[in-house]
Amino acid sequence: MKAFIGTLTLVLGAVSCGTVAGNPIKPGSGSTGDAPKAVVYTLPRFGFDLADESLQLADQGLQLQPFVSDSADKTLFNALGRRFNGLVREVDATATRINTLLAQQAKLAADGMTLRVKHGGKAGKIAAHVGPSDAPGFDHSAVLCADGKPLQFMRWSDLGGSIELWRDFSIDQGDDEAHYGVVSRLRMNKTAAGVVSLDLTSSGSWSDNADADAENGAGLAERVRAERDSSTGVVTLRSTTQHYSGATPTAFSADTYISSRLSPRSDGGKGYEVAFIGYSKSSKRSKCQSGFSDSAADLWHPIQDKPRFCLGRAPAGAKLKNFDEFAALVAGFESVGIIKQDELERTSMPTGLSCDE
């Protein structure tokens, strides 16, 4: 698992000892009248990576006898994990690229608090404006643009306790970045107890041959909530997704649900041991054909012949021999929870963003 906050520090001029990364040095107030010597910024990174080794469940199967496992079942969690990792990794990669540009090209403003970049990146498309935030609960903010179009807006608190970010993944930076046809919003918080939580919402077009549910439309609206307990290393992940055709709907009707728990491998290897339960409209399993209700009274204590979770993987890939074992698996995920379809959102960039002087 990568570090919670990237440690790359941006320094312009001489660095004063004891400065907190992410918090710019303010102009001195002493009688000497000395000009500020440096501005120090750390553009935060999310560092919330599921590890590719966790996304290779296809050959392990998701057994629930007497049902026959099919490709849609095997790739349900894998497709979610690849989307999650792809979006978060690209945000982190952009932070790293912008950090480099700031270190090379940013200019110290008269007040010692604002950094700007123009004509940055390989193609000279990137502009950035980093400075204080006027939003309650946040100390700093950054607007990133490509060819004058805002592609990312983020704001964060000192020491990375809270981060909020919007990103238009369809805009080309010209810096070998990944491209996705979605707009996403990410919110991350770290509690005093050491729990790191991430809330990711996305909507737009998505093309992934590994996503079996894509047959329901090229449009995607998705919400993912993840939590990592720093003391145990356990990650819980829950998601709800709707695929659609045409314009993004204003009211959502989800077609996939996942509630999962990722535990550090007992052998000390990379990645996680994954267990999850789910529902997929595209699954060919007979028990999925009766549908799903995320507000059902028996959601966590399913009845065999009623709409319910119909897919699952037990810890360590243990085979589920009967419905009672599957029902026990479902009950064990009540503490992880589920995202309901009315929590899906149409995500868009904030208005009024600019990288101009």
Side-chain angles (χ1 to χ4, degrees):
M1 182 70 71
K2 297 180 181 177
F4 168 59
I5 292 293
T7 57
L8 179 60
T9 301
L10 313 179
V11 181
L12 302 178
V15 179
S16 298
C17 296
T19 299
V20 177
N23 185 16
I25 300 175
K26 297 180 180 180
S29 57
S31 59
T32 62
D34 292 340
K37 295 182 179 180
V39 171
V40 180
Y41 265 108
T42 298
L43 214 64
R45 300 170 68 249
F46 286 86
F48 209 117
D49 199 311
L50 299 184
D52 291 332
E53 292 81 4
S54 303
L55 309 177
Q56 299 172 359
L57 305 182
D59 295 331
Q60 300 175 29
L62 306 173
Q63 303 295 330
L64 177 57
Q65 300 296 340
F67 304 128
V68 178
S69 181
D70 60 42
S71 60
D73 302 343
K74 291 177 180 179
T75 61
L76 182 65
F77 178 84
N78 294 5
L80 163 67
R82 277 190 286 267
R83 284 194 299 270
F84 182 87
N85 265 0
L87 296 175
V88 175
R89 284 174 176 175
E90 180 53 35
V91 167
D92 281 351
T94 296
T96 299
R97 288 193 291 267
I98 296 302
N99 283 350
T100 302
L101 294 177
L102 286 170
Q104 294 173 347
Q105 301 183 34
K107 296 180 180 180
L108 182 61
D111 61 3
M113 295 290 287
T114 301
L115 300 175
R116 295 184 186 276
V117 166
K118 284 189 174 183
H119 309 299
K122 292 181 180 179
K125 293 183 174 184
I126 299 297
H129 177 193
V130 187
S133 172
D134 58 5
F138 297 94
D139 298 294
H140 319 291
S141 66
V143 181
L144 313 179
C145 301
D147 281 340
K149 300 176 182 178
L151 66 91
Q152 183 166 303
F153 173 65
M154 67 187 307
R155 52 197 181 195
W156 66 98
S157 61
D158 287 333
L159 303 181
S162 298
I163 307 173
E164 191 168 45
L165 174 146
W166 287 259
R167 173 65 178 269
D168 186 342
F169 285 95
S170 68
I171 295 179
D172 181 10
Q173 300 176 45
D175 277 3
D176 301 323
E177 74 278 13
H179 289 282
Y180 308 99
V182 298
V183 176
S184 297
R185 185 195 69 222
L186 294 92
R187 290 172 173 159
M188 187 165 74
N189 290 281
K190 183 177 182 180
T191 69
V195 175
V196 181
S197 63
L198 185 79
D199 184 352
L200 168 64
T201 64
S202 301
S203 64
S205 62
W206 188 275
S207 177
D208 184 352
N209 292 333
D211 187 354
D213 281 339
E215 66 187 42
N216 295 322
L220 175 143
E222 184 166 62
R223 188 159 198 164
V224 185
R225 289 198 179 102
E227 291 188 352
R228 183 177 70 229
D229 188 322
S230 299
S231 63
T232 64
V234 173
V235 175
T236 59
L237 190 77
R238 56 195 190 275
S239 73
T240 296
T241 307
Q242 178 183 344
H243 294 81
Y244 57 86
S245 297
T248 305
T250 55
F252 296 96
S253 178
D255 49 50
T256 62
Y257 294 83
I258 294 176
S259 182
S260 61
R261 185 179 288 111
L262 294 78
S263 304
R265 288 174 50 177
S266 57
D267 61 5
K270 291 182 65 177
Y272 297 88
E273 294 175 350
V274 178
F276 77 92
I277 56 173
Y279 165 81
S280 171
K281 180 180 179 180
S282 296
S283 175
K284 304 302 187 292
R285 289 188 179 181
S286 60
K287 294 304 181 183
C288 292
Q289 302 308 304
S290 52
F292 185 86
S293 171
D294 60 26
S295 59
D298 57 358
L299 182 65
W300 303 107
H301 304 282
I303 299 171
Q304 186 162 4
D305 297 324
K306 290 188 175 182
R308 57 171 174 80
F309 291 109
C310 53
L311 308 172
R313 183 177 191 271
K319 291 186 177 182
L320 299 166
K321 301 180 182 65
N322 52 54
F323 179 77
D324 288 343
E325 290 188 3
F326 179 72
L329 176 67
V330 172
F333 279 95
E334 186 171 7
S335 60
V336 176
I338 192 174
I339 296 176
K340 295 190 175 184
Q341 65 183 15
D342 60 9
E343 296 179 75
L344 291 173
E345 298 181 13
R346 183 172 183 165
T347 311
S348 58
M349 293 290 290
T351 59
L353 299 178
S354 174
C355 294
D356 295 338
E357 293 286 349

